[in-house]
Amino acid sequence: MSHAILRYRPKNTPPEWEAVADGVRMVVATVADHVPYRLTTVLGVVAALAVSAERAGLPRDPAVWLEQSTITRCLLENDQLKPKSTQTYASVLARVHETLVWVERGEAARPHLQADRSRAEPYSTSDLTRLDVWACNLPSVPTGRGNALALLTLGAGCGLLPFELLSVRGTDVHVLPSDAVAVRVPGTDRLVVCRSLWEEALAELARTAGPHYLYAPDRKVERPKNAISNWVARHRPGDPKIPVPDMRRLRATWIVSLLRDRVPADLIARAAGLTSTASLAAYMRWVPELSRDAAIRLLRGWA
């Protein structure tokens, strides 16, 4: 995540960007784990606000940027925003302002009654088994069975976000000397080791894809809009017993499986691209408590 923040530049970069870039990055890095919006969305909205404030001659201070008068000026003067986008901008900036205030006080962001969209429910073992059977019964073409297995192996197996999954090519997947299978996540410094349940399928997909993308290998655009959701809508299981594939739920399944195996939280956070372990707390409700004997072994220092 930190790498993505540092690399970010607005489209058609305005001349004011360099003057406000550090402030934008600081704000987004502070709130990124606490707001229920995609990182790219938060970056774009905060950047637009900061550039608007710079053009108005306001101090280069995030506290000034996030004042309601500054936000209102930004929304009114941006004639390229459609009504729905204006509402989104206002919601993002309100949540960023609130979160920044709470973090500066040394407290967690105040919980909202609305569910956090980034904390989806993981699939059960039986659900994953059904999804695997569904995937293997699709037509044996890259955009059939191949796409389904890419979702499962890179989602439930590696915990990648949708935009990360779309960027992975066969050459990003490596079989290590230990026979473990790892993915070098494009655009980051992360090397994610696939869960053993999915490693053989992932390695085979990578061998077949070669230098092409694992998901929809013949496409020319790296991140086509709605590429995953449109494909799922066309191929979703017809059997009501089989759940609909969902990347958020697949990533949640990966995180929860690691937590259940008592993998250290800081290691999970790094593999997931999170800036801290705080975001993992929301997944603990799906992690059973240790038995008394297991707790004694761990506290004593025995595996």
Side-chain angles (χ1 to χ4, degrees), residues 238-251:
D239 187 341
K241 294 179 181 178
I242 305 174
V244 176
D246 182 290
M247 282 301 298
R248 294 181 307 119
R249 293 192 67 187
L250 290 169
R251 177 174 163 87

Side-chain angles (χ1 to χ4, degrees), residues 105-127:
R105 291 175 182 169
E107 304 174 40
R110 182 169 54 190
H112 280 218
L113 292 178
Q114 182 180 357
D116 188 336
R117 291 176 296 172
S118 65
R119 305 295 181 264
E121 182 178 358
Y123 291 111
S124 66
T125 301
S126 59
D127 281 342

Side-chain angles (χ1 to χ4, degrees), residues 139-171:
S140 57
V141 294
T143 54
R145 185 184 306 167
N147 275 4
L149 289 176
L151 294 182
L152 294 178
T153 57
L154 295 175
C158 301
L160 298 195
L161 293 162
F163 71 91
E164 294 174 334
L165 178 146
L166 289 174
S167 301
V168 174
R169 298 175 183 268
T171 48

